Amino acid sequence: MDSSNRTSGVATTQGQITDSLSRLPWWLLILVLGAVFLIFRFINDETYREIFNFLRSGIIVTIRVTVIAYVFAITFGLLAGLGRVSSNPIIYNIATLYVQIMRGLPILVTLLYVSFVIIPLVITQINTLGVYLAGIGLLGEENILAMLGNRRAGLEVNFEIRAIIALAISYGAFSAEIFRAGIESIGRGQMEAARSLGMNYFEAMRHIILPQAVRRVLPPLGNDFIAMLKESSLVSALGVQDITQLGRLYSASSFEYLKTYNMVAFLYLSMTILLSMGVKTMETRLRTND
Amino acid sequence: MIESPKNSMVVIQNVDKHFGTVKAVNNVSVTIEAGEVVVIIGPSGSGKSTLLRCINFLEVPTSGDIWIDGIHLSKKTKNINAVRREVGMVFQQFNLFPHLTALENITIAQRVVRKRSKSEAAEIARQQLKRVGIPEKENVYPGQLSGGQQQRVAIARALAMNPKIMLFDEPTSALDPEMIKEVLDVMLDLAKEGMTMIVVTHEMGFARNAADRIIFMDEGRVIEDTTPNELYDNPQHDRTKLFLSKILQ
Ligand SMILES: Nc1ncnc2c1ncn2[C@@H]1O[C@H](COP(=O)(O)OP(=O)(O)OP(=O)(O)O)[C@@H](O)[C@H]1O
Ligand SMILES: [Mg+2]
């Protein structure tokens, strides 16, 4: 009896050890080791340093495109999300149409369509309006509306701006659904209590519903930001010189495919993994605060 | 605007509320004077909540007219929110705002709707918390309050808007038995102070002590509208007798 007890005791400890070993974030350890190894190579390898210097301006472009597009995307998303829960049929249908179209299109197609079709069309319309307003004497001959898109006047709408607009429109639809789900997760009783105290719909939304909904949508919105950072690599299809595009240019001229794409992958991964750990932390914080 | 036919606090005239084919409220006419306490009883699904919600327009009646203190309610009433803030409502599920402290729950509508200053709203909120007997809970979030305390904060929140009428929809039926009394006591005090109250409840003790009138509803209609003693001692309809025998046993 004594001995059997001891063996089972040992077995449990062993079981506990394997158990806790299997729960360690091994993937993270491997990633960190990989990163350390790569950074070590980068420092000691002339080519890697050259690649990094070449890609540096791309890092800034990638971050700039992501951040600006994201800010617009969550603004569109909030508006469309409010439209999706509106009882006004016109507002509801406009918002739903927008969300359905954008969610049904590949982002690359949206990017191309907005950049080469929608934006030129809008610019032409604005030009026409500018010329018309100049014609009836409301504005000068060379007003900003008439000259929009004109490279010589310094009013060119470059591809980075087009890409930002396209990404914002596309991601607005995704965050709209996040906002809608967040708002709908707040019980009907909250709106009724606010209305019964005399608040109108917008006051109730602003002071009662949205503050509660925001806490629930922060983690998914954070994940959206990470997705946007990755998806921003699609702007390379428009020739915008982000990390991906510069990587393509460098590797094509130097034939250093392995090292260039090592560096490209490393740059994206180090940003996305750090961000997703940030989102995780935020998630647990919000949960413990509930 | 349609002139009120009487000079009463609440006038409900031929009100219908249909949900599809369900006649939740069926041709109801009731008049309530200022300072009256009216208890509504009736079986589940008889339209008590729906009638109450019509009075502050959380439900828009299918037809009929309602006047609150002489103001006619209709979809076209521009100041529906102005009428609503004169009518406080207390819900079965409390519906406190979980992201705000007890004090903030009471100040938010005062500030947004009544445009009171922060300090004035807080001052009034503290008075109301004292009145409902939990002045020490002002910085506590609803999640950390007992059901009875939450309902008392909800009453304080409604009272802070200085309503002319208070509506209660089964305010004690989500509470554990030991907490029912603390809420009913607050409501009794309120009744004694002369508040106009419409209360859906099956607490017969409260009805006997506080109510001027009891309305018995069934299938969307008002079956009886009389004094508590009259209703208990001398119910006019078989349905009333049947219902009373069930809840009084
Ligand atoms: N929003 C709604 N949509 C559809 N039907 C509804 C709605 N609200 C209430 N009803 C129906 O109207 C009828 C009256 O409901 P109401 O909630 O007013 O009854 P009640 O007397 O308050 O019942 P209870 O004692 O269960 O609270 C019921 O048949 C109910 O199913
Ligand atoms: Mg009810």
Side-chain angles (χ1 to χ4, degrees), chain A residues 188, chain B residues 19 22 24 42-51 59 92 169-170 202:
Chain A
R188 246 175 62 132
Chain B
F19 295 105
V22 178
S44 181
S46 57
K48 308 179 297 289
S49 298
T50 308
L51 180 64
E59 303 286 0
Q92 182 175 355
D169 192 356
E170 308 207 30
H202 294 140

Side-chain angles (χ1 to χ4, degrees), chain A residues 74-170:
Chain A
I74 53 176
T75 313
F76 296 161
L78 178 59
L79 292 176
L82 286 170
R84 292 273 284 152
V85 297
S86 169
S87 57
N88 179 322
I90 299 173
I91 295 175
Y92 169 81
N93 277 292
I94 292 174
T96 306
L97 184 69
Y98 162 62
V99 169
Q100 291 298 348
I101 290 177
M102 286 307 147
R103 294 213 306 174
L105 284 174
I107 295 175
L108 182 57
V109 173
T110 306
L111 208 62
L112 296 171
Y113 199 86
V114 170
S115 303
F116 292 114
V117 181
I118 304 282
I119 290 180
L121 216 70
V122 171
I123 289 176
T124 318
Q125 294 303 316
I126 292 175
N127 289 160
T128 317
L129 179 71
V131 170
Y132 170 77
L133 289 177
I136 60 171
L138 268 178
L139 288 173
E141 196 64 43
E142 301 221 325
N143 65 65
I144 187 166
L145 298 181
M147 301 302 279
L148 190 69
N150 189 317
R151 188 193 294 258
R152 277 213 333 275
L155 289 172
E156 193 201 4
V157 182
N158 68 30
F159 276 104
E160 186 176 324
I161 296 174
R162 294 179 196 212
I164 286 172
I165 294 172
L167 280 178
I169 293 175
S170 182

